[in-house]
Amino acid sequence: ILNVEQSPQSLHVQEGDSTNFTCSFPSSNFYALHWYRWETAKSPEALFVMTLNGDEKKKGRISATLNTKEGYSYLYIKGSQPEDSATYLCAFNRRGNKLVFGAGTILRVKS
Amino acid sequence: DTAVSQTPKYLVTQMGNDKSIKCEQNLGHDTMYWYKQDSKKFLKIMFSYNNKELIINETVPNRFSPKSPDKAHLNLHINSLELGDSAVYFCASSRLAGGGGELFFGEGSRLTVL
């Protein structure tokens, strides 16, 4: 059984704060790590797909890092805005295997 | 144009009925999926098709049967609906199979079984 764990479960921050979340996954036979952003009443949207140890990806104020040897990825949001409020999902798979999602981190940004 | 579209968005039905949810993608992807959002809000894979061929079939009751008439469509048929089937079902597609490519999700179909 593949366990993908995300922490914290939820997070409330003030507008302008920077924040980060963690995704932990089994480190053996790594293939890919995905991050998705899921706004209420919408569908999940991909932020990043990361495949190489040490990968760092950035999209605007959001960035992610990947450590496949120790089995974790961080997602960072710089200068949080109310529109960043969403659930952030990570998902992991081994080559040829299904993508397994974590439970998500719920972010609420107060203005 | 919606990239991945599911119909219906809402479905309320009685226990024991048979119902279908349809999914279409216009992205030219070869791989399509059905996910179920369970009671704890986890997204759990049910099925995956690559170019009309079933490649992932999780431990799902055989009352659930996917059908892919072509690589742009993946429908989900559910026989003899039970209360526990109430959930949101998401269709998705990706360019690559096996998790190497990002998933594009539909907006979900909320099924309520009474």
Side-chain angles (χ1 to χ4, degrees):
Chain A
I1 296 176
L2 296 180
N3 284 327
V4 179
E5 297 189 1
Q6 293 189 244
S7 61
Q9 193 171 15
S10 65
L11 198 51
H12 292 252
V13 301
Q14 287 294 129
E15 183 175 356
D17 287 350
S18 293
T19 187
N20 65 84
F21 328 129
T22 305
C23 175
S24 300
F25 51 86
S27 56
S28 59
N29 299 320
F30 174 86
Y31 183 63
L33 189 286
H34 297 217
W35 280 101
Y36 291 83
R37 181 169 176 273
W38 193 357
E39 288 183 73
T40 304
K42 294 189 177 179
S43 51
E45 290 184 353
L47 290 170
F48 308 112
V49 177
M50 308 171 80
T51 57
L52 297 175
N53 184 42
D55 250 355
E56 290 189 26
K57 296 212 170 180
K58 189 174 180 186
K59 188 182 282 190
R61 293 179 291 99
I62 304 177
S63 59
T65 60
L66 178 66
N67 183 323
T68 62
K69 294 191 189 313
E70 295 182 38
Y72 64 84
S73 174
Y74 294 137
L75 187 80
Y76 300 93
I77 302 179
K78 187 177 175 183
S80 302
Q81 300 296 309
E83 58 265 30
D84 295 329
S85 296
T87 298
Y88 291 83
L89 297 173
C90 76
F92 155 84
N93 73 312
R94 294 175 170 150
R95 184 178 293 275
N97 268 5
K98 63 187 178 184
L99 199 59
V100 176
F101 280 84
T105 292
I106 300 169
L107 174 67
R108 293 289 173 258
V109 183
K110 298 178 190 173
S111 56
Chain B
D1 279 349
T2 305
V4 181
S5 58
Q6 302 178 221
T7 54
K9 288 191 171 36
Y10 300 95
L11 186 52
V12 180
T13 189
Q14 298 287 329
M15 236 176 16
N17 283 350
D18 303 339
K19 290 294 177 187
S20 292
I21 308 172
K22 296 186 177 182
C23 179
E24 176 181 4
Q25 54 96 3
N26 62 7
L27 297 167
H29 290 165
D30 283 345
T31 309
M32 295 185 72
Y33 311 81
W34 277 109
Y35 280 85
K36 180 180 180 181
Q37 185 183 16
D38 68 17
S39 56
K40 294 184 180 178
K41 307 293 185 187
F42 277 92
L43 282 173
K44 296 264 179 80
I45 183 94
M46 299 174 70
F47 302 104
S48 175
Y49 271 72
N50 186 53
N51 208 5
K52 300 194 297 173
E53 183 182 338
L54 182 66
I55 55 171
I56 293 176
N57 185 353
E58 283 296 288
T59 309
V60 175
N62 57 16
R63 298 181 295 102
F64 289 77
S65 53
K67 283 198 172 46
S68 182
D70 56 62
K71 69 177 193 177
H73 295 84
L74 180 61
N75 303 323
L76 183 67
H77 188 75
I78 315 170
N79 287 330
S80 304
L81 279 156
E82 300 178 358
L83 294 176
D85 298 332
S86 296
V88 183
Y89 293 86
F90 286 91
C91 176
S93 73
S94 64
R95 188 173 58 84
L96 301 173
E102 64 185 88
L103 268 58
F104 290 78
F105 284 89
E107 292 186 337
S109 295
R110 181 177 292 277
L111 171 65
T112 303
V113 182
L114 304 174

